[in-house]
Amino acid sequence: MSRFLIKLRRKSVLRLRRLWETRFGSRYRAVPIAMLIGVTAAVAAAILHELVAGLEHCGQLLRNNGSYWATALFFLMPVTGITLSYFSQRLIGGNRYAKSLSPLILSLNRRRTGIPLKETFNHVISSALSVGCGGSAGLEAPSVLTGAAIGANTAGFFGIDRRQKMLMIGCGAAAAISAIFQSPIGGVLFAIEVLLPQFSVAALIPMLISSAVAMVVSRALFYHEPPLFVINPQWRLDAIPYYFLCGIFCALIGVFVIKSVYYISGLLKKTLPAPGRRLLAGGIIMGTILAFFPVLRGQGYYFISRLFHGELEVLQEYCPVLAGLPLPAALAVVVAAAILLKAAVSELTVNSGGDGGIFAPAMFIGAFSGFAFARMINLSGMAELHEANFIVIGMCGVFSAVLRAPLTGIFLIAEVTYSYILLVPLMIVSSVAHAVARFFEPHSIYRKALAEADLLTDDRDQALLRTLSVRVCITPEYTRLAPELNVSQLSRIIEDSPKSDLFPVLNDSGELEGILHLEQITPILLDPRLAGSMLVFDLMEAPKWILNEDDDLSRAMNMLEKSRLEHLPVKNKDGKFMGFVSAVDIFKLYRGLIREADSY
């Protein structure tokens, strides 16, 4: 198969690309490729959607069967789903299977665009098993990772450069969001805000095309009634203060979501480092919570829809343990569980072995948060708020607080719920939630771990230097010295190396033992009395600052500044000396990175 693709690429694809560039110029070659990525991402999204819908239908049949064995199977489905998902991940993806968008964000930040071909389908299988069987997660992260892999491999197939390849990855991500959520504008804004913030406005054109094509194809393949469609009443001026208060409330909920997710993730990895034990224990805990509160199963759009339509008794019906409580008390318990437990169950689903994303859980938590806020205000008698409106803006507020993508939150929620009439309240709540959440938690749920590990930074210079490793800047030409050489022998070597003023002293294994600086040893070289009495070992300086070949240029510049040296030695993984890195060479590369970044 691979040989066939290589021959096809050589004979047809590259020739077609040259004809296109001759006729229309290389500037417009991204347009047809973006359209192709949009179609492919939409097909992948359609397959994922149908798989999840089919599994959810099976679960619904088991729930409605009423028999003991069917009920037992219904409650065991989430654990079974994440178990099957875990084994599919190991079988297809291997040990380095990435479930979060954080590795993709880091790779794009470092200008790394290589994504394996298997990423175009493995997330579809694993996430369908997890979410379709009742696991509490969303489909957006697997869809984005699938779309990004489609974009990267399509771009690689057509042989386009790295800068355009990054743009195609953004096109794939935008198309995936557009197809899954039926939100073309939200998909483009997500790609720009979260994945590729360094790209200019001109990059929007291919992404818009890819997103629009994905929307059209996805509607043609699996058009269905929007699950969150609601006819919202007009927003009122007297409710504006409550929009600000709701934004603050959503920000606090969003910070709680981020911190609870990372706390549970750290606790699971610390107490249960073995994947098998984590799958068993996490699956049992997740299954138990979902057995008590089935409203937390899956993506949760059905229950958000019930909130919109005021069918609150359905929430109680889905929780058998609350059957004996009056509706207000049962509703309070369900809402509290939705706000406080959804993030925990989602993290258990993903970290125990399943696959999924945080979009849907954030929207679910936001919907119940907005409902709770409006209901509390209404019960207090302070005002009479439209609860449906606050369900929508609550979704936007928590989404913006968790993902730190305010524009995406505004347009994604407006497109998903058809609530364009609420754009002004959405703008207020999104901006307030984003600002307040940043005060308590500086980083989004995707960037927090990367920022705390010092892998990502908001400093542009540092970010650019981190895109390249030290090995690309090594000067391998050097004159090697042995520690047992005397001054006379050293003098002859220096005479034969007129351009060198820095000499590494290496042992027989090629390891660095010291460095000779010509300007420091010149007086000794000119003294004939020391010609036979002193050795290189006596003159060399032990290296205090050494770089590894895998270190990035940001670390190299920091070490050069701290050491106040012009050159630093570099060693490889085996400890052998590789060469020197100079501040001048790094600066030259940095200028090239600046020009490349400006071209984005």
Side-chain angles (χ1 to χ4, degrees):
M1 183 65 181
S2 59
R3 290 182 179 179
F4 170 75
L5 291 175
I6 292 172
K7 290 181 179 179
L8 176 65
R9 182 174 179 270
R10 286 177 180 174
K11 293 182 178 180
S12 303
V13 175
L14 295 182
R15 185 182 302 172
L16 181 63
R17 194 192 77 177
R18 285 194 295 269
L19 289 173
W20 177 275
E21 292 177 357
T22 304
R23 178 67 179 85
F24 301 102
S26 59
R27 195 174 173 187
Y28 298 101
R29 69 184 177 189
V31 174
I33 298 176
M35 295 176 67
L36 177 60
I37 291 171
V39 173
T40 311
V43 172
I47 294 172
L48 176 58
H49 178 273
E50 293 303 321
L51 287 174
V52 171
L55 290 171
E56 287 178 341
H57 180 67
C58 293
Q60 198 63 29
L61 291 177
L62 290 174
R63 180 181 179 274
N64 295 334
N65 185 277
S67 63
Y68 174 79
W69 66 268
T71 304
L73 286 176
F74 174 74
F75 288 118
L76 288 175
M77 274 189 71
V79 179
T80 305
I82 66 169
T83 303
L84 294 174
S85 176
Y86 171 78
F87 285 110
S88 74
Q89 294 164 28
R90 286 300 180 94
L91 181 64
I92 303 173
N95 294 330
R96 295 188 176 183
Y97 187 87
K99 305 176 187 179
S100 170
L101 295 183
S102 298
L104 177 62
I105 293 172
L106 179 62
S107 296
L108 294 176
N109 184 266
R110 300 290 175 86
R111 309 289 195 272
R112 297 169 186 166
T113 57
I115 302 179
L117 183 62
K118 61 186 177 183
E119 296 288 312
T120 59
F121 60 88
N122 58 2
H123 291 284
V124 173
I125 299 171
S126 61
S127 62
L129 291 169
S130 296
V131 180
C133 291
S136 185
L139 298 175
E140 63 292 327
S143 299
V144 169
L145 291 170
T146 300
I150 290 171
N153 285 279
T154 304
F157 184 73
F158 284 97
I160 63 177
D161 57 43
R162 184 181 65 177
R163 182 166 62 91
Q164 291 273 331
K165 194 174 183 180
M166 290 181 66
L167 179 57
M168 293 302 105
I169 290 175
C171 289
I177 295 293
S178 175
I180 284 290
F181 286 102
Q182 303 288 288
S183 174
I185 299 177
V188 173
L189 291 175
F190 172 80
I192 290 293
E193 282 191 299
V194 177
L195 299 181
L196 300 170
Q198 71 272 29
F199 271 70
S200 65
V201 177
L204 286 172
I205 297 173
M207 290 186 192
L208 285 169
I209 293 171
S210 182
S211 185
V213 169
M215 173 75 170
V216 173
V217 174
S218 64
R219 280 208 172 189
L221 291 177
F222 64 94
Y223 181 75
H224 54 89
E225 189 67 24
L228 300 182
F229 176 77
V230 62
I231 300 176
N232 292 94
Q234 179 67 263
W235 60 276
R236 305 195 312 262
L237 286 173
D238 60 342
I240 287 181
Y242 297 101
Y243 297 144
F244 282 91
L245 291 176
C246 186
I248 296 172
F249 180 67
C250 290
L252 298 177
I253 296 296
V255 172
F256 167 77
V257 169
I258 295 174
K259 292 187 178 297
S260 62
V261 163
Y262 275 89
Y263 175 77
I264 293 170
S265 175
L267 186 64
L268 281 174
K269 291 177 181 177
K270 182 179 179 180
T271 56
L272 300 168
R277 293 183 179 181
R278 194 157 62 241
L279 173 63
L280 179 62
I284 292 173
I285 297 171
M286 179 205 68
T288 303
I289 297 174
L290 293 180
F292 280 98
F293 299 102
V295 294
L296 303 180
R297 292 170 65 105
Q299 301 177 81
Y301 294 141
Y302 173 78
F303 301 106
I304 299 176
S305 179
R306 302 284 70 78
L307 278 183
F308 277 136
H309 295 94
E311 300 172 6
L312 305 181
E313 65 279 355
V314 175
L315 302 177
Q316 185 179 19
E317 293 174 3
Y318 263 79
C319 298
V321 295
L322 305 178
L325 293 177
L327 181 59
L331 182 62
V333 175
V334 171
V335 171
I339 297 174
L340 300 177
L341 294 180
K342 180 66 173 179
V345 181
S346 298
E347 185 59 24
L348 285 170
T349 300
V350 175
N351 226 305
S352 298
D355 194 3
I358 197 65
F359 268 47
M363 293 164 65
F364 181 88
I365 295 169
F368 279 85
S369 299
F371 170 79
F373 177 85
R375 179 59 64 95
M376 287 188 295
I377 296 297
N378 289 339
L379 291 176
S380 69
M382 297 170 58
E384 188 65 32
L385 303 177
H386 292 303
E387 292 179 353
N389 287 2
F390 278 82
I391 292 171
V392 173
I393 66 174
M395 294 169 67
C396 177
V398 174
F399 182 95
S400 298
V402 172
L403 277 81
R404 304 299 160 81
L407 290 176
T408 304
I410 293 168
F411 287 95
L412 179 67
I413 303 303
E415 289 179 310
V416 167
T417 62
Y418 288 70
S419 301
Y420 303 100
I421 196 173
L422 297 180
L423 276 178
V424 172
L426 289 172
M427 292 166 67
I428 293 173
V429 171
S430 181
S431 57
V432 171
H434 181 269
V436 175
R438 278 182 65 92
F439 179 79
F440 292 101
E441 172 55 61
H443 307 290
S444 72
I445 195 166
Y446 293 134
R447 298 175 67 94
K448 179 177 172 63
L450 298 175
E452 290 179 351
D454 198 29
L455 296 174
L456 281 184
T457 177
D458 293 329
D459 187 300
R460 189 195 186 203
D461 294 338
Q462 294 284 340
L464 287 174
L465 289 172
R466 287 180 178 181
T467 61
L468 294 177
S469 63
V470 165
R471 65 166 62 91
V472 304
C473 203
I474 295 176
T475 303
E477 298 178 359
Y478 57 86
T479 301
R480 170 177 176 164
L481 298 178
E484 63 272 10
L485 294 176
N486 58 37
V487 173
S488 298
Q489 295 170 322
L490 175 61
S491 299
R492 288 193 294 269
I493 292 174
I494 291 175
E495 289 176 1
D496 295 334
S497 306
K499 295 182 179 180
S500 301
D501 57 0
L502 199 65
F503 299 89
V505 182
L506 309 180
N507 59 22
D508 295 335
S509 301
E511 298 172 348
L512 183 67
E513 292 196 356
I515 299 175
L516 279 183
H517 296 271
L518 182 59
E519 59 182 16
Q520 296 176 0
I521 64 171
T522 300
I524 298 174
L525 294 175
L526 298 176
D527 191 343
R529 295 174 299 174
L530 302 176
S533 60
M534 294 193 71
L535 303 177
V536 167
F537 180 82
D538 302 316
L539 301 175
M540 70 181 187
E541 290 184 359
K544 298 179 180 179
W545 307 84
I546 303 178
L547 289 166
N548 294 312
E549 62 175 343
D550 293 325
D551 290 337
D552 55 56
L553 294 184
S554 173
R555 175 176 171 81
M557 283 300 297
N558 290 334
M559 289 183 66
L560 284 165
E561 290 177 1
K562 291 179 181 179
S563 64
R564 297 184 179 181
L565 297 174
E566 295 183 359
H567 298 79
L568 287 177
V570 182
K571 65 179 182 179
N572 62 13
K573 295 178 181 178
D574 300 325
K576 295 183 179 180
F577 179 73
M578 300 288 294
F580 290 100
V581 167
S582 70
V584 174
D585 292 336
I586 294 178
F587 183 70
K588 289 179 181 178
L589 275 177
Y590 172 74
R591 291 181 62 186
L593 290 173
I594 288 289
R595 286 192 295 269
E596 183 181 357
D598 290 341
S599 68
Y600 288 147

